[in-house]
Amino acid sequence: MKKITAVFLFVLWLGAGGGAAAQSRFERSAQRKRELTKNVEWPTHEPVMFSLRRGGHRDDLIQTYARQHDPDNIQAQLAAGVKYGRLHFYKGFGIDYERTEIDKSIAMADFMHKNGMKMSIYVAGTMFVETFYREVRDAVNWEQRDQNNRPVYYSDTQTYRHFACPNEPNYREYIKKVLRIGVEEVKADQIFFDNVFLQPEPKSCRCPRCQRTFKDFLRTRYPTREAVFRRFGYPDVDYLVVNDWDVFNRPEDVVAVDDPVLQEWTRFRNETLARTCNEYYDFIKGLNPKIAVG
């Protein structure tokens, strides 16, 4: 029993750092890289104007943001073995408004590529109404609108960011202009999309485009009057109205989605989003099949 106790205490002593065991090569490598990168300002996918507009940033934001783009800062990452970074690119303020920051990412991407690094660029999924609507006057007509004809916001605290309707072809064509810059000018290795999603009920888009496209979707799925009647009890899809929500009829209280119109509306929204994502994916791959898409 005394021998076992002695061994146990010796193990505890080693675990507490009392032993003279040498570091492993992995520990030595990690320690060296921590030293090399302790002053690195890691790149961020957020352009400086967004951090300023959102608030809650560090007091030295302007200085640290400038430091991200410094070649010496990238060299420090390279010395530590870093081979990849994600850069800011398009946040939704508008191409013209973001062009200065896009050019910074172009220069940074060029430097990274010349040094054997890979880089990803960030493409956001909302429209900043304070700037984008000045650049593209018609963009106000591209918004998602809820059942009360209100814009669909990114969040309750960022109401200056509106979601575009995925069934609006002009918005999709605008994003393709953004993507072309990313492929041909930035020469990105990956294009990463963020916030390309539909808000949950009761914030589904009920704009005239979606209502019209939904009926076309149903006509394709149920091409005859008999098929429509068997599914909905009516002879024509034009009779149908998508569910409304209120405090007495809350989507979170739905236990089973058994309403046939709500079932089809749910499927329609999923397929709409999938089609939009596939359209962007195919466009990027058509320009350069070697680019990864996230």
Side-chain angles (χ1 to χ4, degrees):
M1 184 66 185
K2 290 182 179 179
K3 185 181 293 185
I4 294 174
T5 303
V7 171
F8 178 67
L9 290 173
F10 179 68
V11 171
L12 285 178
W13 178 68
L14 286 176
Q23 286 183 316
S24 71
R25 61 188 178 92
F26 304 108
E27 291 170 322
R28 290 195 302 272
S29 175
Q31 184 174 351
R32 183 181 67 85
K33 290 176 180 178
R34 281 195 296 270
E35 287 297 316
L36 289 170
T37 59
K38 64 182 180 181
N39 294 319
V40 163
E41 195 62 49
W42 297 103
T44 175
H45 65 270
E46 305 290 24
V48 68
M49 73 276 282
F50 173 67
S51 299
L52 291 169
R53 177 62 183 88
R54 180 182 57 184
H57 52 79
R58 288 164 43 176
D59 290 340
D60 61 349
L61 170 66
I62 302 297
Q63 292 77 15
T64 56
Y65 183 77
R67 171 71 177 155
Q68 292 172 25
H69 304 85
D70 190 326
D72 290 341
N73 188 60
I74 303 171
Q75 287 285 10
Q77 298 172 49
L78 281 164
V82 176
K83 297 293 186 181
Y84 167 88
R86 175 164 294 150
L87 311 183
H88 59 82
F89 175 58
Y90 183 75
K91 189 66 179 179
F93 290 92
I95 294 173
D96 292 346
Y97 193 82
E98 295 191 57
R99 188 73 223 199
T100 300
E101 303 309 315
I102 290 173
D103 287 343
K104 290 178 181 177
S105 286
I106 291 174
M108 192 171 176
D110 182 61
F111 186 85
M112 292 171 72
H113 281 150
K114 286 177 178 177
N115 285 276
M117 296 179 73
K118 300 288 186 182
M119 44 77 57
S120 171
I121 56 174
Y122 175 95
V123 177
T126 57
M127 303 183 294
F128 282 72
V129 302
E130 296 161 328
T131 57
F132 189 62
Y133 289 11
R134 291 172 178 267
E135 181 178 319
V136 183
R137 295 292 181 177
D138 191 46
V140 66
N141 299 313
W142 301 353
E143 290 182 345
Q144 292 184 33
R145 311 292 291 190
D146 67 15
Q147 65 184 25
N148 299 314
N149 199 33
R150 295 278 299 164
V152 178
Y153 305 129
Y154 171 75
S155 70
D156 292 339
T157 58
Q158 295 184 31
T159 58
Y160 48 87
R161 299 174 65 183
H162 294 188
F163 281 102
C165 175
N167 287 308
E168 173 50 61
N170 289 318
Y171 176 73
R172 300 199 305 272
E173 290 304 310
Y174 186 92
I175 293 300
K176 289 176 185 177
K177 294 179 182 178
V178 172
L179 299 177
R180 184 177 291 277
I181 295 170
V183 173
E184 297 180 351
E185 297 186 41
V186 186
K187 297 180 173 59
D189 300 295
Q190 183 200 47
I191 296 179
F192 178 80
F193 292 87
D194 191 22
N195 298 320
V196 181
F197 64 85
L198 299 174
Q199 293 281 36
E201 299 289 3
K203 290 297 182 179
S204 64
C205 184
R206 307 295 183 90
C207 74
R209 280 178 303 266
C210 284
Q211 299 287 2
R212 183 174 59 252
T213 308
F214 179 52
K215 297 297 177 63
D216 292 339
F217 168 83
L218 293 177
R219 291 188 185 96
T220 299
R221 283 176 55 76
Y222 305 99
T224 66
R225 291 173 67 87
E226 180 185 4
V228 175
F229 180 79
R230 286 179 62 85
R231 179 63 166 136
F232 304 106
Y234 302 144
D236 196 309
V237 297
D238 283 335
Y239 286 54
L240 303 174
V241 178
V242 180
N243 310 51
D244 277 347
W245 307 99
D246 56 35
V247 294
F248 302 105
N249 175 36
R250 303 186 306 169
E252 58 267 34
D253 292 337
V254 174
V255 176
V257 182
D258 50 15
D259 182 318
V261 175
L262 186 55
Q263 290 174 346
E264 296 292 341
W265 178 246
T266 302
R267 179 169 186 144
F268 165 73
R269 297 184 72 218
N270 279 278
E271 292 194 10
T272 293
L273 189 60
R275 183 210 64 212
T276 298
C277 293
N278 284 328
E279 185 174 332
Y280 293 155
Y281 177 89
D282 290 341
F283 180 77
I284 292 167
K285 291 293 187 177
L287 294 175
N288 184 349
K290 294 183 177 181
I291 295 179
V293 182

